[in-house]
């Protein structure tokens, strides 16, 4: 999944199962708040539910038990170095094994640069898939099959590093792309983001899981 980025470690070798908490959405600050104050805002928010690692996988990912998105939109937020990427890799591995017919697609959001997510998937990502099957580019049939996977609700988009997007406000930008690119909005989406950016800029309807 991440071999093209030079990551070859077995996730189980480096992953430590973490307890997770669900918290209430942060209210919009009345005044401008610097990103550096994001962590302080987080400390003041109310935790609404706690999860052991296996319970999170079963209840949230498999049973879709979240109050707003029914498990379709999950944000993993935390401080730098909190192992968000490693947890996302573990989720990718678990979903591939445990959820029937799931198609897991990993995207490092820093790689989008000026492209939008939909364009990146249908151009850069799908071209890489075609090359691995011995073709120079994605054929119309491959693109049609890719569209069908989205329409069948089998695609999981695991989006790593929202805070690394080049947009001035990555949270608002990715929300716009979900709204306007109808096809990708049919996917199950799990993304990671640093807590300071998420709390200061978040006006999306995504249930945050830390």
């Amino acid at each position: 999944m991440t071999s093209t980025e030079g990551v070859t470690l077995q996730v189980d070798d480096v992953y430590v199962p973490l307890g997770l908490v669900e918290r209430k959405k942060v209210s919009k600050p009345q005044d401008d708040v610097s990103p550096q104050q994001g962590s302080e805002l987080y400390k003041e928010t109310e935790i609404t539910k706690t999860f052991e690692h296996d319970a999170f996988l079963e209840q949230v990912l498999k049973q879709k038990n979240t109050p707003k998105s029914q498990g379709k939109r999950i944000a993993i937020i935390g401080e730098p170095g909190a192992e968000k990427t490693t947890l996302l890799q573990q989720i990718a591995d678990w979903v591939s094994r445990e959820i029937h017919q799931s198609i897991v697609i990993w995207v490092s959001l820093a790689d989008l640069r000026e492209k939008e997510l939909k364009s990146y998937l249908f151009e850069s990502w799908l071209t890489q898939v075609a090359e691995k099957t011995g073709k120079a580019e994605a054929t119309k049939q491959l693109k049609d099959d890719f569209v069908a996977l989205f329409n069948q609700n089998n695609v999981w988009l695991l989006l790593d590093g929202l805070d690394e997007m080049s947009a001035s406000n990555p949270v608002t930008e990715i929300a716009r792309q979900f709204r306007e690119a109808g096809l990708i909005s049919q996917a199950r989406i799990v993304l990671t983001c640093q807590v300071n950016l998420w709390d200061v800029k978040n006006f999306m309807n995504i249930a945050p899981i830390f």
Side-chain angles (χ1 to χ4, degrees):
M1 179 182 61
T2 57
S3 59
T4 57
E5 300 175 3
V7 179
T8 57
L9 291 173
Q10 296 297 316
V11 176
D12 288 341
D13 292 341
V14 297
Y15 178 67
V16 177
L18 301 174
L20 302 167
V21 298
E22 181 179 27
R23 62 193 181 92
K24 285 187 177 179
K25 181 178 178 181
V26 176
S27 300
K28 181 179 179 180
Q30 296 300 313
D31 302 310
D32 290 339
V33 180
S34 69
Q36 289 75 22
Q37 293 176 277
S39 298
E40 295 302 316
L41 289 174
Y42 170 72
K43 293 174 183 176
E44 296 174 1
T45 57
E46 180 181 345
I47 294 171
T48 60
K49 192 168 184 179
T50 61
F51 295 90
E52 293 298 327
H53 177 65
D54 290 344
F56 166 75
L57 297 174
E58 287 288 338
Q59 294 177 28
V60 174
L61 300 184
K62 182 173 281 189
Q63 299 176 22
K64 306 179 182 179
N65 185 15
T66 63
K68 291 186 177 180
S69 72
Q70 287 73 55
K72 193 173 182 180
R73 301 283 186 272
I74 300 296
I76 300 168
I77 62 174
E79 302 288 354
E83 303 297 328
K84 299 181 294 296
T85 296
T86 307
L87 174 57
L88 195 64
Q89 291 174 334
Q90 187 73 4
I91 288 172
D93 180 66
W94 186 88
V95 168
S96 297
R97 288 185 287 105
E98 300 294 334
I99 299 185
H100 184 56
Q101 293 184 332
S102 59
I103 305 298
V104 178
I105 299 174
W106 179 282
V107 179
S108 295
L109 291 172
D111 292 343
L112 265 61
R113 302 186 187 277
E114 301 303 319
K115 279 189 176 182
E116 295 199 353
L117 179 59
K118 184 177 180 180
S119 297
Y120 175 84
L121 290 171
F122 276 85
E123 295 170 13
S124 303
W125 188 86
L126 207 56
T127 296
Q128 293 177 24
V129 173
E131 289 174 350
K132 288 186 177 181
T133 63
K135 296 181 176 60
E137 60 183 19
T139 63
K140 181 180 183 301
Q141 184 61 54
L142 183 58
K143 292 180 180 180
D144 288 345
D145 291 344
F146 195 38
V147 169
L149 290 173
F150 279 94
N151 290 333
Q152 293 161 9
N153 300 314
N154 288 335
V155 176
W156 289 68
L157 295 178
L158 302 192
L159 311 179
D160 188 39
L162 181 63
D163 46 278
E164 296 180 11
M165 284 182 67
S166 59
S168 59
N169 187 337
V171 179
T172 301
E173 173 59 20
I174 203 70
R176 180 192 67 78
Q177 292 187 32
F178 291 161
R179 289 195 305 270
E180 296 179 3
L183 186 68
I184 64 173
S185 68
Q186 298 179 61
R188 298 278 297 274
I189 295 170
V190 186
L191 60 80
T192 68
C193 184
Q194 289 190 16
V195 66
N196 56 355
L197 174 73
W198 184 264
D199 279 348
V200 174
K201 300 293 186 181
N202 177 32
F203 308 115
M204 292 172 65
N205 188 25
I206 294 182
I209 299 289
F210 175 86

